[in-house]
Amino acid sequence: MNETKNSIYFVGIGGIGMSALARYFRHAGWLVAGYDRTPSPLTAALEAEGIAVHYEDSVDRIPEAFRDPLKTRVIYTPAVPVDHTELCWFRTQGFEVLKRSQMLGLLGEGRRVMAVAGTHGKTTTTTMVAHFNAVAAGEGSAFLGGLSKNFDSNLVLGAGLRMAVEADEFDRSFLQLHPQSAVITSVDPDHLDIYGTYEAVREAFAQFAGQITPGGTLILKKGIELPVERADIRRYTYHVTDSGVDFHAENLRVDGGGYYTFDLVFPGRRIERCRLGIPGLVNVENCVAAAALVWSEGFVSDERMREAIATFRGVQRRFDFWVNDPSVAGGTIYMDDYAHHPAELRAMLSSVRKMFPERELTVIFQPHLYTRTRDFAPEFAEALSLADRVWLLPIYPARELPIPGVASEMILDGITTPRKRLISKERLLEEVAALATGGVLVTAGAGDIDRFCAPVAALVQRKNGGVG
């Protein structure tokens, strides 16, 4: 990169991937600032770390130190509108302007890039890879799509050449990467506003897999079929329990809190009595995928890998238990999850059902994007029908304008669970307060529903204080 430039400006700095890059450059000694649409805990954390952030799309708000194209590089997220005032000004003034994914690709040059791709499951799996690298291999950096509870960040700075990255398929961003090793967790239809067809999604994933460097490794979840004809890479499969694949788990045992103990099986290697530090069968599958990717680059010992698995603490908003105290007899369990695609919503709810089969399951779901709701309303309804009670919030629009006729009612109408209805964010806490104690409560979605996690958890804990 051009070393005459010493400042970097982020348009959309509050995104999870953008903020990781901002932290990286701040740590490397660059002058960093940026714009985001609204304040959030992430932007507050950036500001506390000394990064200037403003929330008005105005050229006048760009700090003076970032107004010279000879000294400043600009990074933007494709979630920002193409007519964004600041972004347009930077382009017309001759600044070097790069997408977030382009910069991530540049940072990967000369490193051992370990990429996790998939329409769901990639954030937890990537974060596991980062933790397993640190504990079992003793090295590695990472750019994560969520906040790791082990590292208390979405950025990991460690020794060595390993670099774990979440390979995002949105806007074909992952095609900027040329990894040494890669896992693909799922290839489901998503982002059809970008791709148009499911076949185009599959073609993009095949192209990503085809960009693995010669001598590298591709690890696919069983059932994923991609037209990747590469004799110069190793190719493996994984599954949570199927013994017919290269990587899987055996002898699974689950305790009352949903925590699993199992044997981890690699080609020619078995690590017995692994106990994953977070609950849920879906996370055992993520663990198998992450361990397989670390195996492809090597780790110190079985004991160190067993330690890495046991000490993994999860990712904020991924199968994230806020209230789960087994000592409170008859208390409500509360968890939150980022699930915003039908397949990941189904996987999450199925895991919760297996963990707590005797408890009543209530789900509060906030649909994300009008296009995704339009394209997958029946699939969302089918997944949500796994719950005993479903409350739907209005659609979170994110980058989109409303589409006539598209609303949460499209999902509601297809849910077969009798106890279902629409609620507003304004009444969410009131509705939770009226719930009977003793079941499992789940909030899910990729919008701003996470801002209710702390008050919902506090309310549940107060209600639990009156039982047992």
Side-chain angles (χ1 to χ4, degrees):
M1 293 187 293
N2 188 342
E3 294 187 5
T4 64
K5 297 184 179 181
N6 61 3
S7 61
I8 190 160
Y9 188 87
F10 289 84
V11 182
I13 196 169
I16 193 71
M18 292 282 279
S19 60
L21 283 174
R23 284 173 163 146
Y24 172 86
F25 281 101
R26 170 74 173 170
H27 183 271
W30 289 57
L31 188 62
V32 179
Y35 155 88
D36 207 82
R37 186 175 62 175
T38 55
S40 69
L42 264 178
T43 58
L46 294 178
E47 292 185 76
E49 294 166 23
I51 296 173
V53 182
H54 66 269
Y55 305 95
E56 178 186 356
D57 177 16
S58 169
V59 174
D60 294 338
R61 297 296 307 276
I62 300 170
E64 189 62 35
F66 299 86
R67 303 174 78 90
D68 184 350
L70 297 179
K71 296 181 179 179
T72 298
R73 175 180 284 109
V74 178
I75 309 297
Y76 74 99
T77 169
V80 169
V82 294
D83 60 351
H84 189 274
T85 304
E86 291 184 20
L87 187 57
C88 291
W89 182 82
F90 282 122
R91 284 176 166 148
T92 59
Q93 297 302 309
F95 284 77
E96 180 185 7
V97 178
L98 299 173
K99 284 185 180 180
R100 179 191 65 85
S101 57
Q102 290 175 292
M103 178 53 69
L104 195 59
L106 290 173
L107 293 177
E109 293 180 357
R111 305 196 191 198
R112 301 288 300 179
V113 176
M114 304 168 68
V116 180
T119 44
H120 58 90
K122 57 184 176 287
T123 298
T124 299
T125 305
T126 309
T127 309
M128 284 182 174
V129 171
H131 179 66
F132 295 175
N133 274 340
V135 177
E139 64 172 284
S141 57
F143 292 87
L144 306 174
L147 292 174
S148 161
K149 293 185 178 182
N150 288 92
F151 299 106
D152 193 28
S153 181
N154 52 354
L155 173 67
V156 180
L157 297 170
L161 296 179
R162 299 185 189 207
M163 187 174 105
V165 299
E166 182 170 327
D168 188 2
E169 76 279 3
F170 175 71
D171 198 40
R172 296 178 170 85
S173 293
F174 59 177
L175 298 184
Q176 300 294 331
L177 299 172
H178 292 80
Q180 275 66 44
S181 53
V183 159
I184 298 180
T185 65
S186 51
V187 183
D188 294 312
D190 197 11
H191 302 301
L192 298 185
D193 55 322
I194 301 293
Y195 287 96
T197 66
Y198 178 40
E199 186 56 37
V201 175
R202 293 186 71 255
E203 289 172 359
F205 273 92
Q207 185 177 344
F208 165 75
Q211 293 180 179
I212 294 172
T213 58
T217 303
L218 171 63
I219 303 167
L220 296 171
K221 182 179 175 181
K222 181 184 178 181
I224 295 176
E225 299 292 339
L226 295 176
V228 181
E229 302 299 330
R230 289 283 304 277
D232 58 347
I233 64 174
R234 299 182 296 170
R235 185 164 175 165
Y236 299 98
T237 55
Y238 79 93
H239 188 269
V240 64
T241 55
D242 191 326
S243 61
V245 299
D246 301 298
F247 303 92
H248 62 278
E250 292 183 356
N251 300 322
L252 275 80
R253 301 170 297 283
V254 61
D255 65 19
Y259 291 83
Y260 282 83
T261 302
F262 52 91
D263 297 345
L264 194 57
V265 181
F266 301 99
R269 189 171 188 171
R270 175 188 292 264
I271 305 178
E272 297 180 341
R273 301 180 305 282
C274 298
R275 185 181 189 273
L276 184 58
I278 58 173
L281 186 62
V282 66
N283 285 318
V284 177
E285 182 170 87
N286 293 332
C287 176
V288 172
L293 193 59
V294 174
W295 173 90
S296 74
E297 295 289 329
F299 57 88
V300 175
S301 67
D302 291 1
E303 188 56 40
R304 292 282 289 275
M305 178 57 81
R306 192 182 290 111
E307 177 189 351
I309 293 169
T311 56
F312 182 70
R313 293 293 171 256
V315 187
Q316 289 185 23
R317 299 226 61 221
R318 269 67 176 187
F319 223 77
D320 191 2
F321 281 88
W322 284 71
V323 182
N324 185 16
D325 186 354
S327 68
V328 180
T332 297
I333 294 168
Y334 168 52
M335 65 162 280
D336 175 61
D337 196 86
Y338 191 70
H340 58 285
H341 182 277
E344 60 191 359
L345 193 61
R346 186 182 307 110
M348 180 268 290
L349 293 176
S350 296
S351 284
V352 173
R353 275 293 193 200
K354 287 185 175 71
M355 291 166 63
F356 309 106
E358 305 302 321
R359 288 180 178 255
E360 182 178 74
L361 175 58
T362 298
V363 178
I364 307 173
F365 179 61
Q366 182 186 46
H368 184 260
L369 298 179
Y370 291 100
T371 52
R372 186 178 282 125
T373 303
R374 176 198 63 198
D375 294 338
F376 301 114
E379 290 83 357
F380 276 120
E382 181 182 0
L384 289 166
S385 296
L386 292 170
D388 299 300
R389 180 187 292 107
V390 180
W391 294 337
L392 287 181
L393 293 173
I395 295 170
Y396 184 81
R399 60 187 179 271
E400 294 183 337
L401 295 174
I403 298 175
V406 177
S408 295
E409 285 86 345
M410 294 179 67
I411 299 174
L412 187 76
D413 291 345
I415 296 172
T416 58
T417 302
R419 289 178 289 174
K420 59 177 183 177
R421 55 193 173 90
L422 302 175
I423 65 170
S424 65
K425 287 189 285 188
E426 291 75 18
R427 289 183 54 86
L428 190 151
L429 292 177
E430 181 181 337
E431 299 284 357
V432 171
L435 270 178
T437 303
V440 178
L441 174 64
V442 175
T443 50
D448 61 357
I449 193 171
D450 62 310
R451 302 191 181 190
F452 289 93
C453 290
V456 167
L459 178 58
V460 170
Q461 286 171 329
R462 285 197 301 271
K463 287 167 62 70
N464 283 356
V467 299

